[in-house]
Amino acid sequence: MWEVTLWLALVATFALAWKPLLHRTSPAASFALHLTLALPFFTLAGLFLTNTTSVLHVAAFGGEDLPLKYRFAATWAAREGPLLMWLGWMALFAWWWRDALPGEDGPAEAQVLRLRIVHGMHLTLLLIAFSLDPFKATPQGFLGAGLNPLLQTDLMVIHPPLIFLTYSMCLHLAATGLSAASTGNTDRLGPRLLIQARPALLVATLGIGLGGLWAYLILDWGGYWAWDPVETGSFLPWLALAMMVHLRTRPGKTPDHVWVGGAVLTGVLSLFATTVTRAGGVWASSIHTFVTNEGGTPPKDVFGRLMELRVDAAATEVMTYVVWMFVLLGTWLALVRRDRYGLPFSSRAPWYLALPALTAFVGWLVMDAGLAGISWLDVPGVVFLVPLVVPLLSQPRKRDVVVSANKDEGGEVLEASHWRYEELTPLPLHVVLPLVLFGFTSDPFIALVFALLFHPLYTADAALKAWPWTAAGVMFGLAMAWSTLLSLPEAAGVLLVFVLPWMLAEGQADEPHAGWLNRRFQTRAALWGSVVLAGLYLVLTWVLLLSSIDAVNFEAHELYGAPFLTAVAACFILYTRRKDDPRHTVGVLGATSVVTVIGMVFFANNLGGDSSTLVSGGPLSRGHLAWISLPMLVTALPLVVREVVEQAKKPGKAKWWKRVPVGAHLVHAGLLILLLGHLSTTVLVDRGDASHRLTLVRDEMVIHRGYGFEFTDLTLSDEDLDVGDGYVGVTILVHSVADDGTTEKIGTVHPGTLRFDRQGVARSEVDTLTGLTGDLVFIFDASQSSGLMQRVLSESVDAVELVRVTIYVLPHSHVVWVGWGTMMAGMALVTAAGQRPTDSTGHNREPAPNEEE
């Protein structure tokens, strides 16, 4: 009977799509309909809280012995619960942003289309939920495995909802951008999108940070970040949001298609991150794999593995996400093409945005209905690429007139002689070249990203003026070569495509400037860097994630990411010294670079930790990686702190906590602090090094990296446990060891493992000794638990003389969390200060003048 909530939500979705402005005439009815969309989630959560085991989902993952907070967390233990929670969050923001956003005043076409696109997203999620059937009855005699032990923690009550909250806001961003572009109502598009992007970035930072804290306290990683595919996937929307919020401050006028592209990208990457998490088996490096082809081996590309999932019970969900991503990207390409050629606006809404909902409907109605001989496996994989081209084919035909005024991305009129890709050959290279690359790689994702980066360059009035797309394309080619997803000749071909304009456009370089000794040039470079570096790093991270289906590329992320950290710090130095002598600024950058070189050459192994460990067996060590970024980060931090103070003291009508620049620079300071902590706790720690695993002898001190560890007692318990069925742990006394050999006790720790009999697994209970200079992390080796228990039962506790414990010394670990907290505080200030003011009638006032952030 609980399925009626799904049907009620379905009726509410159609009602809101039919009357998207119902809140103007009947606020109560509109609120009730939005609340009805969240009703299935509230119902499922209530069933878990009451342990209603007649519902299969509850019987599989619930339990009457669980505390109420973990019963609630069990709601998102599998596929069904998170989907309904996502629907509920989407409904919340549909209600929250129901009124006109900046620039949507007057004719309501953009507002109506935005809300209808959002309700179409509601419909898609709801139809997937119908396919999964979250309220199906429990078969007779069924015994569930219970809640995953890793979810039986306080942070898991908070972390997943925040991640899906972020994804909901990102999809709303995509709807806002598409509605603006589709209706031509792009007035004040930047403020319109920033109202949604800033809180989304705040929530994303909170959610990812809490996930890192969960990993730090619960998982046996010994750290907060490991470039696991799931966490890397959630990092991608964060990067896209960070790039979006800096579009406002890049030099020149940001074109509408860039704003819309950023908004669409956040939505696409949210779907991509969800696919990483929920397409079980594709990223085998993160979770177990069962994706195989007829030969018994998994395909080597992500798209191929996704297509293999068509035989899985959750095929409808995964296939819908694939269609959803492609149709959003295809729509953006169509909008770029329309603007470039001056095509007329369509009088109809972009109907092709309904293709994801149609896919989910087909899956629910046909594929999952048990009809004989029909399944997703019967649908060729190429069909799922069709949504990419449908928006392009639906556009009006190209006009035969030439645009009279050609402008660059900053709005400046260009000379007609500027080199254009379209003039090179009559062949449609923006179509031909992606197809050629697809022919070489057979990977649709690689060909798609190439097309997305090349299309704006191809349609640009002056290819040299579209240099950010060139930079992104070069980064794409290099990352593909580094990750071995492309062979060197293939990667060279990609690079050639993007650098060709610079090779052929003789004497048509950018406007002359005074170079790096010019103050204006330095400031522009710093402002451009915030957008370009975020975009390039996004491309790199996505490529490395794409190559991580069978092995986590931890060292690749750190190695190739180190120059980006250095460049970010250099941009902060340039910007914060924009009022100083530009020659001195160049001197600061030069001197810092010299320190970097000296450190790498002479002191690479002197940073402590595992600084001498080689990276991937190559010539560089972890110490080298740290030195690449360390001097520039250290130099930039006091300058950014000075900027925060100066912005706060700056006279003005608004209080300092109501100024966007104050919060923005506080975020920058927090980022630098976090990155400095990251070098000590992640880059300089090799968690695969066996030297961190110690065998401790009872009542004997073992000296390790300046500390003494003494195993004194073994603890066994199966009573008074909050969760789990049994506990085995050790008591370890920790001493500091001076240079002369004297020791001083500094604390006691109790690492161990919890036994979960119902699931047949054990969970590490990590213990941390916190000091002024950092943390010591202790991880009990769970593989010895059963042997220790058997010996205790056959003899006694005192018979256990040896235990194995993994110990990580993490100096400056507090810096990571201080930096994260500082970023959160700054983002909260930016979000609060950047919200639109309204007058007494509820209409938007004009935004404050553009401020540098």
Side-chain angles (χ1 to χ4, degrees):
M1 66 177 180
W2 307 112
E3 291 182 354
V4 69
T5 59
L6 294 174
W7 289 101
L8 290 174
L10 186 64
V11 172
T13 301
F14 282 113
L16 289 170
W18 179 45
K19 293 285 188 180
L21 302 182
L22 179 63
H23 58 275
R24 293 185 178 179
T25 57
S26 182
S30 178
F31 177 78
L33 290 173
H34 283 86
L35 185 62
T36 302
L37 291 175
L39 187 59
F41 172 72
F42 292 142
T43 301
L44 186 61
L47 294 174
F48 269 99
L49 291 174
T50 57
N51 196 39
T52 307
T53 55
S54 59
V55 175
L56 178 60
H57 194 40
V58 177
F61 301 102
E64 60 181 356
D65 296 332
L66 289 174
L68 282 179
K69 58 184 177 181
Y70 297 151
R71 291 191 196 181
F72 182 62
T75 309
W76 44 84
R79 293 183 179 275
E80 297 84 349
L83 200 66
L84 296 180
M85 176 172 61
W86 198 356
L87 177 62
W89 282 134
M90 290 289 294
L92 170 66
F93 284 107
W95 168 257
W96 187 261
W97 286 318
R98 65 194 182 278
D99 292 323
L101 297 175
E104 291 182 343
D105 299 338
E109 288 87 352
Q111 180 187 2
V112 169
L113 181 57
R114 168 173 62 85
L115 293 175
R116 281 181 170 156
I117 292 175
V118 169
H119 296 319
M121 294 174 175
H122 295 161
L123 179 61
T124 304
L125 294 175
L126 188 57
L127 290 172
I128 297 174
F130 268 107
S131 177
L132 294 176
D133 193 6
F135 300 108
K136 52 180 168 284
T138 305
Q140 188 173 5
F142 175 83
L143 293 176
L147 182 61
N148 187 324
L150 292 178
L151 291 178
Q152 298 183 39
T153 63
D154 291 351
L155 286 172
M156 282 298 99
V157 181
I158 308 171
H159 168 65
L162 288 175
I163 294 298
F164 278 99
L165 178 60
T166 301
Y167 296 166
S168 300
M169 299 169 90
C170 288
L171 287 177
H172 276 262
L173 263 172
T176 303
L178 291 176
S179 65
S182 298
T183 60
N185 184 357
T186 56
D187 179 43
R188 299 169 65 199
L189 182 57
R192 191 186 316 177
L193 293 172
L194 287 176
I195 280 180
Q196 298 173 321
R198 284 168 172 162
L201 184 60
L202 170 65
V203 176
T205 306
L206 178 60
I208 293 175
L210 290 178
L213 186 60
W214 169 74
Y216 189 70
L217 298 176
I218 301 301
L219 295 183
D220 53 7
W221 289 350
Y224 68 96
W225 195 261
W227 292 109
D228 176 84
V230 171
E231 63 183 1
T232 307
S234 68
F235 186 47
L236 293 176
W238 189 95
L239 287 171
L241 289 167
M243 182 173 62
M244 269 205 72
V245 299
H246 286 92
L247 285 175
R248 179 173 177 258
T249 58
R250 52 146 274 183
K253 181 181 181 296
T254 302
D256 292 337
H257 75 266
V258 174
W259 278 112
V260 175
V264 170
L265 185 63
T266 61
V268 170
L269 291 177
S270 296
L271 293 168
F272 188 83
T274 307
T275 305
V276 173
T277 306
R278 297 167 71 83
V282 173
W283 275 265
S285 56
S286 179
I287 46 182
H288 67 280
T289 180
F290 51 84
V291 181
T292 58
N293 57 21
E294 293 180 356
T297 58
K300 297 300 182 182
D301 65 289
V302 169
F303 185 80
R305 293 194 178 185
L306 289 174
M307 290 303 100
E308 292 295 318
L309 285 177
R310 287 174 295 170
V311 301
D312 186 62
T316 293
E317 181 183 11
V318 177
M319 297 304 106
T320 300
Y321 293 152
V322 171
V323 171
W324 209 340
M325 287 186 282
F326 285 166
V327 76
L328 287 176
L329 293 174
T331 302
W332 180 73
L333 288 174
L335 293 172
V336 172
R337 177 177 177 271
R338 185 199 67 193
D339 292 345
R340 170 64 183 91
Y341 298 122
L343 301 177
F345 288 99
S346 174
S347 59
R348 297 177 298 174
W351 60 268
Y352 36 79
L353 291 176
L355 289 176
L358 178 62
T359 305
F361 177 73
V362 170
W364 168 45
L365 191 63
V366 179
M367 303 300 179
D368 295 331
L371 298 183
I374 301 179
S375 73
W376 279 116
L377 195 59
D378 298 323
V379 181
V382 70
V383 171
F384 296 95
L385 298 176
V386 172
L388 182 64
V389 298
V390 167
L392 292 166
L393 298 176
S394 302
Q395 288 285 329
R397 304 186 72 178
K398 179 178 176 180
R399 285 182 173 176
D400 294 327
V401 297
V402 179
V403 180
S404 58
N406 297 319
K407 297 183 178 181
D408 70 358
E409 291 196 349
E412 301 175 2
V413 178
L414 303 172
E415 297 294 334
S417 60
H418 271 263
W419 194 89
R420 300 182 183 91
Y421 240 116
E422 290 179 304
E423 298 174 348
L424 183 64
T425 173
L427 287 175
L429 293 180
H430 60 309
V431 176
V432 173
L433 291 180
L435 291 177
V436 170
L437 185 60
F438 177 72
F440 277 105
T441 64
S442 300
D443 191 324
F445 278 113
I446 294 177
L448 172 60
V449 172
F450 174 84
L452 291 171
L453 298 177
F454 180 63
H455 190 75
L457 179 64
Y458 177 81
T459 58
D461 291 304
L464 298 189
K465 291 291 184 177
W467 63 266
W469 298 106
T470 297
V474 170
M475 184 74 258
F476 174 70
L478 292 176
M480 282 291 169
W482 290 335
S483 62
T484 68
L485 289 176
L486 290 181
S487 66
L488 288 180
E490 292 168 345
V494 170
L495 292 175
L496 178 62
V497 169
F498 286 97
V499 301
L500 191 63
W502 298 83
M503 299 170 62
L504 299 182
E506 298 180 3
Q508 296 181 17
D510 277 344
E511 58 194 53
H513 51 70
W516 286 99
L517 295 180
N518 177 269
R519 179 182 286 110
R520 181 173 180 270
F521 178 80
Q522 290 181 358
T523 304
R524 287 174 62 87
L527 293 174
W528 264 113
S530 61
V531 177
V532 173
L533 289 175
L536 297 182
Y537 191 54
L538 172 60
V539 172
L540 172 66
T541 305
W542 179 82
V543 170
L544 292 178
L545 174 60
L546 208 66
S547 66
S548 299
I549 53 178
D550 290 317
V552 176
N553 292 320
F554 179 89
E555 293 180 340
H557 280 286
E558 296 296 339
L559 173 62
Y560 302 137
F564 285 91
L565 304 187
T566 305
V568 167
C571 287
F572 287 149
I573 293 173
L574 288 173
Y575 182 77
T576 54
R577 291 183 54 86
R578 64 194 180 280
K579 298 177 183 178
D580 300 327
D581 190 327
R583 292 172 296 178
H584 293 169
T585 300
V586 172
V588 170
L589 292 175
T592 306
S593 301
V594 170
V595 173
T596 296
V597 173
I598 293 175
M600 292 182 66
V601 174
F602 298 104
F603 303 103
N605 300 333
N606 295 70
L607 292 177
D610 300 312
S611 57
S612 60
T613 303
L614 296 180
V615 177
S616 301
L620 296 180
S621 67
R622 289 177 174 265
H624 287 114
L625 297 189
W627 272 110
I628 292 174
S629 308
L630 181 61
M632 204 69 75
L633 292 172
V634 171
T635 303
L637 180 57
L639 295 174
V640 173
V641 172
R642 182 189 70 174
E643 185 71 23
V644 174
V645 174
E646 289 180 353
Q647 290 288 350
K649 291 182 177 179
K650 195 173 181 178
K653 294 181 179 180
K655 301 294 184 181
W656 67 266
W657 59 85
K658 295 182 179 180
R659 301 176 190 169
V660 170
V662 176
H665 291 300
L666 191 62
V667 175
H668 299 156
L671 177 62
L672 291 173
I673 295 170
L674 187 151
L675 292 176
L676 286 170
H678 180 82
L679 296 182
S680 293
T681 61
T682 303
V683 176
L684 292 175
V685 179
D686 182 4
R687 291 181 171 80
D689 191 340
S691 66
H692 294 291
R693 293 188 288 274
L694 304 181
T695 298
L696 303 182
V697 182
R698 184 186 290 269
D699 298 328
E700 292 185 13
M701 185 178 298
V702 175
I703 307 298
H704 176 70
R705 302 196 179 191
Y707 294 92
F709 306 104
E710 183 181 358
F711 158 50
T712 61
D713 195 15
L714 180 73
T715 303
L716 296 178
S717 176
D718 56 5
E719 298 179 355
D720 300 326
L721 299 175
D722 291 335
V723 294
D725 301 293
Y727 171 81
V728 56
V730 293
T731 300
I732 300 174
L733 304 182
V734 184
H735 305 262
S736 62
V737 181
D739 293 338
D740 59 3
T742 59
T743 63
E744 178 183 0
K745 180 183 175 183
I746 58 175
T748 304
V749 292
H750 306 277
T753 55
L754 276 171
R755 190 180 77 248
F756 292 82
D757 295 339
R758 186 177 176 185
Q759 293 83 4
V761 298
R763 186 185 80 192
S764 294
E765 288 292 283
V766 177
D767 202 359
T768 302
L769 181 64
T770 299
L772 292 177
T773 58
D775 290 343
L776 298 177
V777 178
F778 297 80
I779 305 169
F780 185 72
D781 190 340
S783 64
Q784 64 188 322
S785 299
S786 59
L788 293 178
M789 291 180 186
Q790 291 176 1
R791 187 167 185 184
V792 168
L793 293 175
S794 61
E795 301 179 40
S796 67
V797 171
D798 295 332
V800 177
E801 296 290 335
L802 302 174
V803 294
R804 293 189 305 275
V805 181
T806 300
I807 303 174
Y808 295 111
V809 180
L810 303 180
H812 316 124
S813 56
H814 308 335
V815 175
V816 172
W817 308 114
V818 170
W820 174 56
T822 304
M823 291 179 67
M824 291 297 306
M827 288 179 182
L829 290 177
V830 171
T831 301
Q835 290 302 299
R836 58 182 174 133
T838 55
D839 58 26
S840 58
T841 64
H843 293 108
N844 303 316
R845 294 183 200 158
E846 286 300 313
N850 194 33
E851 298 176 90
E852 293 178 345
E853 297 175 8

